[in-house]
Every structure is written in C-alpha cells, then in structure tokens.
Amino acid sequence: MAETTPTPTAFPTVERPPVHLRRSPLAHLAEAMAAGGTDARLEARAGDTVLTLREVPFLTMVGLRAAPGSASARALAEALGTRLPERVGEVTGTGEAAVLWLGPDEQLVIAAPDLPLGTRLREALDGLPGAAVDLSANRTTLELSGPRAADVLRKTVRLDLHPRAFPAGTAVSTLLDSVQVILWRTTEHTFRVLPRASFAEHVARVLLDGMREFTAPGGA
C-alpha cells in the first residue's frame, strides 16, 4: 500500500475572553503585592525609599525566529514598523510594541493585551523561513519600581545592574533565585520581570521578601 503524507491540520483561531473575565497567574497575590511596598509610615518618613510591585497581566507576546539580515527578518521588521534588535540586551520598538533580543535569530515582541500581532507577523512571513508564535500565555509580567528596585534585584540576580552596565532599554534572559526570567529595565528605577506562568508565584514571593528590608518601618 502506498504511503500518504498527512495533510496538516489548520487550527482555528481561539478568541480570548475579555480581560476582566480572565484570572492572571498572580491574581491571588494582588493584595500582598499592593501592600508590599507602600508602608504609609515609611513613605512619610523617607519617601525616596518606597517600592512598588505589581503584575502587568495578559500582555501580548509573540516569539520570532528569523536569520539576521534575511528576507524573513526584513519582512518581520516591516510588519512591526521597527528594526529587529541585533545584540545582547538590545530592545527596539515603537509605541505599539517592544522587541527584545533573546538570541542571534530569536526575539520576543511585547505589546498591549489582545493586539493581533501574531496573525500580522505570520502573514508577513508568507512562506519565508522563520516563525511567529503567540506566547502570550507562556509568561506573565511583574513590574518592580522605586529608587531601591535594583537593590532588591541584586539579592537574587547575578548581573551588574548599575545604569552604566544595564541602562534603561536593556533586557536579558537571566536567573532570579534559580528561576529563568527575562529582566527588562524600562526606566532608571523600573524593572519588568517576566517569569513563566508556572514560576510566577515563586518569583513574586522572592521579590516581596527582598523588598522587606527597604519597606518595613526603620528600613534602609
């Protein structure tokens, strides 16, 4: 009997429920994070040491794979309206989406919730070698802000976080307390930490624990 090649299955696009009906990986810790860095006594005494930690849930995330300088990379860049990052730590982007460098031929696009970027980028490839895969459910985002944010991270991240070595607009894949995360410095005193959803609670609790030194009454 002659062998036949199976026809690839075309999977339908699944519409996500509205954001207000979803439950994020850290919804159950929202109250603890809100209280973690906003001690009123500390703020009144030394406001410059106040820290905040919050989840930024449901961001659109699309993983890209394309050889540098290839027609695929050019097509993806044109669809995004920005060039793709070309070196370790580089972040490019427009007001709509940021593109983080993960490897020589790998980037991660991050944008507001529910933007149809995955569809747009797959269509841009139009048979060219490469990939554009929706990874929105793969990770969540924690945002740590405040003048001591880098000090909190230094307790568990083995990177030089001085602004000269790790300025705003830099993102790298690294370990936070043995958990792989993407660490993205968006401003001088604000960091976004992107763990996989299954490790999000552990990462959030590590950050909350690291904040206590600076947010408890009498903290540094």
Side-chain angles (χ1 to χ4, degrees):
M1 180 180 296
E3 294 185 359
T4 59
T5 302
T7 302
T9 302
F11 293 100
T13 300
V14 178
E15 291 189 6
R16 298 188 182 94
V19 169
H20 71 279
L21 295 180
R22 303 179 205 167
R23 184 170 177 82
S24 70
L26 294 173
H28 62 296
L29 289 183
E31 185 176 341
M33 288 191 288
T38 55
D39 188 285
R41 291 166 295 176
L42 178 67
E43 189 167 4
R45 180 178 62 80
D48 63 336
T49 64
V50 172
L51 288 158
T52 61
L53 180 66
R54 69 184 183 115
E55 184 183 21
V56 186
F58 311 127
L59 294 179
T60 297
M61 300 187 192
V62 181
L64 304 181
R65 298 300 294 263
S70 66
S72 301
R74 290 191 294 272
L76 292 170
E78 183 176 354
L80 287 166
T82 184
R83 66 179 182 84
L84 302 184
E86 300 173 347
R87 64 179 186 277
V88 176
E90 186 178 14
V91 178
T92 62
T94 63
E96 182 183 45
V99 190
L100 283 56
W101 189 97
L102 297 183
D105 66 345
E106 182 178 7
Q107 296 84 28
L108 180 67
V109 183
I110 301 179
D114 295 329
L115 284 181
L117 283 177
T119 300
R120 184 200 306 178
L121 294 169
R122 285 192 295 273
E123 290 175 349
L125 286 172
D126 191 26
L128 293 170
V133 180
D134 191 318
L135 301 175
S136 303
N138 189 35
R139 296 179 186 270
T140 192
T141 302
L142 285 153
E143 186 173 81
L144 177 67
S145 299
R148 306 304 292 267
D151 293 322
V152 173
L153 291 168
R154 287 187 182 102
K155 296 181 179 186
T156 54
V157 173
R158 295 182 178 180
L159 290 175
D160 183 355
L161 297 179
H162 191 282
R164 286 194 300 268
F166 199 86
T170 301
V172 298
S173 179
T174 187
L175 294 179
L176 189 154
D177 192 48
S178 77
V179 175
Q180 188 275 334
V181 301
I182 297 171
L183 180 63
W184 177 15
R185 190 176 207 154
T186 56
T187 72
E188 181 180 359
H189 299 307
T190 302
F191 294 83
R192 286 192 167 185
V193 182
L194 284 69
R196 297 187 188 279
S198 55
F199 291 98
E201 179 172 353
H202 177 77
V203 170
R205 292 191 183 279
V206 167
L207 293 175
L208 284 169
D209 185 62
M211 292 166 65
R212 289 196 181 99
E213 175 186 352
F214 306 109
T215 58

